[in-house]
Amino acid sequence: MKVAIASDHGGNELRRELIELLKEMNIDYTDLGPDHDESVDYPDYARPVAEGVANGTYDRGILVCGTGIGMSIAANKVEGIRCALVHDVYTAHATREHNNSNIIAMGGRVIGGALGKEIAKTWLEAEFEGGRHERRIDKITAIEQGK
Ligand code: RB5
């Protein structure tokens, strides 16, 4: 599995902790920055992760900003992206099982590193259940494509 990860200044600290998790899990990851702690605009970091997941360069993406909200809104503007804003472990596996989410967003000002890592690990290990959930995702795709 190839994972892209990025943040803004509000998510740098949590992103660094999540990178440690990806290393511990032996997951092939690409860190798309930023490589400094200055203020940046979260859409500039959400976009390459979302476009990379949408075009198949990466299988999954992880985005972190202060709340996770800006990142999730921006990522979900890219066709084919189902980005879930997640701050608890139940939602982390449910959004893989039911929504087949391909990006997760978290808020570095909302949760600490230990919970963030547990959420990311749960999400990375969970599988899409398909079945009735596939039909619902097809309906989301239809909305996205104006059908
Ligand atoms: C940056 O101050 C903050 O707005 C950003 O990290 C994020 O929380 C936006 O949704």
Side-chain angles (χ1 to χ4, degrees), residues 2 10 18 30 34 46 60 68 80 90 109 112 125 134-135:
K2 287 186 179 177
L18 295 172
T30 301
R60 307 262 200 99
Y90 172 78
R109 295 173 183 158
E125 290 177 342
E134 187 81 63
R135 181 181 70 241

Side-chain angles (χ1 to χ4, degrees), residues 39-89:
S39 179
V40 296
D41 298 335
Y42 56 81
D44 294 337
Y45 291 85
R47 188 170 190 165
V49 170
E51 289 181 343
V53 171
N55 70 25
T57 303
Y58 312 109
D59 301 300
R60 307 262 200 99
I62 299 176
L63 291 168
V64 192
C65 61
T67 59
I69 296 172
M71 284 293 199
S72 61
I73 292 171
N76 278 315
K77 296 297 179 190
V78 175
E79 189 172 343
I81 294 305
R82 291 175 301 280
C83 176
L85 173 65
V86 177
H87 288 131
D88 67 275
V89 172

Side-chain angles (χ1 to χ4, degrees), residues 11-134:
N12 274 339
E13 203 176 318
L14 180 54
R15 173 170 55 96
R16 291 183 191 117
E17 299 213 49
L18 295 172
I19 287 171
E20 290 311 307
L21 171 76
L22 294 170
K23 287 179 187 167
E24 287 161 24
M25 293 179 74
N26 284 317
I27 286 178
D28 180 5
Y29 73 90
T30 301
D31 178 13
L32 293 175
D35 58 5
H36 57 78
D37 287 316
E38 303 308 311
S39 179
V40 296
D41 298 335
Y42 56 81
D44 294 337
Y45 291 85
R47 188 170 190 165
V49 170
E51 289 181 343
V53 171
N55 70 25
T57 303
Y58 312 109
D59 301 300
R60 307 262 200 99
I62 299 176
L63 291 168
V64 192
C65 61
T67 59
I69 296 172
M71 284 293 199
S72 61
I73 292 171
N76 278 315
K77 296 297 179 190
V78 175
E79 189 172 343
I81 294 305
R82 291 175 301 280
C83 176
L85 173 65
V86 177
H87 288 131
D88 67 275
V89 172
Y90 172 78
T91 310
H93 66 79
T95 190
R96 280 290 307 139
E97 292 160 0
H98 293 197
N99 314 125
N100 199 12
S101 53
N102 45 18
I103 298 183
I104 194 175
M106 285 184 269
R109 295 173 183 158
V110 180
I111 54 170
L115 178 56
K117 286 170 80 171
E118 197 172 334
I119 287 167
K121 186 172 192 294
T122 300
W123 181 76
L124 287 163
E125 290 177 342
E127 296 291 341
F128 178 50
E129 287 178 357
R132 68 189 186 282
H133 303 298
E134 187 81 63

